[in-house]
């Protein structure tokens, strides 16, 4: 957990004080989490995951991915928490569907080119 907290914080270029302020806890409390001499409560762990926009499992080293969102599932659920944007402009549902289709087609073309370069039919 310790290295993940440090990495998540440093990726945002936040100091320990700034992170603690965002969590509304004392800097010494947050430092204790990073240095390993204090364990966060379940609520604190949840707050930290929310702050860093990741999962508790990622913080606890139970998964290697910080967050995994499957685009087609998000579209089906129509979750208002997620707004996808490009260049600051929210994407429409049709644009997201086009993006998914484009990405799938690009992957297929790339795989076919790789197979041809390896001599596989």
């Amino acid at each position: 957990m310790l290295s993940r907290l440090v990495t998540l914080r440093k990726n945002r270029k936040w100091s320990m004080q700034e992170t603690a302020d965002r969590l509304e806890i004392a800097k010494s409390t947050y430092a204790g989490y990073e240095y390993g001499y204090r364990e966060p409560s379940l609520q604190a762990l949840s707050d930290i995951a929310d702050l860093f926009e990741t999962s508790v499992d990622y913080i606890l080293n139970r998964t290697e991915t910080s967050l995994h969102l499957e685009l087609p599932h998000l579209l089906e659920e129509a979750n208002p928490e997620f707004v996808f944007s490009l260049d600051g402009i929210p994407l429409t549902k049709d644009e997201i569907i086009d993006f998914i289709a484009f990405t799938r087609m690009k992957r297929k073309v790339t795989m076919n080119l790789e197979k041809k370069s390896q001599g596989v039919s």
Side-chain angles (χ1 to χ4, degrees):
M1 176 171 75
L2 313 176
S3 64
R4 293 265 167 100
L5 288 180
V6 172
T7 301
L8 289 166
R9 178 177 59 79
K10 287 187 176 183
N11 283 345
R12 285 173 170 70
K13 297 179 173 62
W14 294 344
S15 66
M16 279 191 189
Q17 183 65 60
E18 186 174 2
T19 305
D21 290 346
R22 289 172 183 264
L23 291 167
E24 298 179 355
I25 60 175
K27 178 184 174 188
S28 60
T29 300
Y30 181 77
Y33 300 158
E34 279 198 11
Y35 292 126
Y37 60 82
R38 175 174 273 160
E39 288 191 14
S41 67
L42 291 176
Q43 183 59 53
L45 196 54
S46 177
D47 292 344
I48 292 167
D50 289 346
L51 176 68
F52 289 121
E53 299 175 330
T54 190
S55 67
V56 170
D57 279 346
Y58 180 75
I59 293 170
L60 296 175
N61 291 315
R62 295 180 60 160
T63 182
E64 290 303 310
T65 54
S66 61
L67 190 56
H68 181 89
L69 300 172
E70 193 69 31
L71 285 176
H73 295 291
L74 289 175
L75 288 174
E76 292 166 9
E77 295 170 13
N79 190 333
E81 289 182 38
F82 299 104
V83 175
F84 296 97
S85 64
L86 178 64
D87 301 325
I89 302 168
L91 296 171
T92 66
K93 186 173 181 176
D94 286 341
E95 288 174 323
I96 295 171
I97 290 168
D98 289 346
F99 171 77
I100 293 168
F102 170 80
T103 302
R104 286 178 174 159
M105 183 56 68
K106 185 172 185 226
R107 287 176 178 172
K108 188 174 184 178
V109 168
T110 301
M111 284 177 32
N112 286 338
L113 289 173
E114 288 173 358
K115 284 181 183 178
K116 283 184 180 180
S117 71
Q118 295 171 357
V120 179
S121 303

